[in-house]
Amino acid sequence: MAAFKITLFRFDPARDSEPHYQDYVIDPDGPLSVLQAIRHVYHHEDGSLSFRNSDCRRGVCGICSMMINGRRQLTCMCLATDGMKIEPPPNRKIVKDLVFETD
Ligand code: FES
């Protein structure tokens, strides 16, 4: 699989006055889910990234739900592709980056 770019929402309420988006280029050995791509960024590019992690990875727990290109989806069930924008759902209080308060 060729290298691809994803854009992630970043916001640390303790430090940032405004949210912003950050691009990351991933050069994987093979296909990755969006959740795996986020994990790749965390482990290889930017350890300051916060996101909800789960070992289910099968669309069961729902903890990985985020907006992908404006549509709410389970990131463990979607294949990462070039140009994807990943962010929390609107109208959610942001804890940090991709971690938001749930119901
Ligand atoms: S990790 Fe459980 S639904 Fe995605």
Side-chain angles (χ1 to χ4, degrees), residues 35 54-64 74-77:
L35 182 58
S54 169
D55 287 330
C56 115
R57 303 175 204 169
R58 293 174 307 207
V60 176
C61 73
I63 203 167
C64 68
L74 296 174
T75 58
C76 69
M77 300 299 286

Side-chain angles (χ1 to χ4, degrees), residues 24-38:
Y24 297 93
V25 174
I26 299 172
D27 191 4
D29 294 332
L32 298 178
S33 69
V34 174
L35 182 58
Q36 288 172 319
I38 293 168

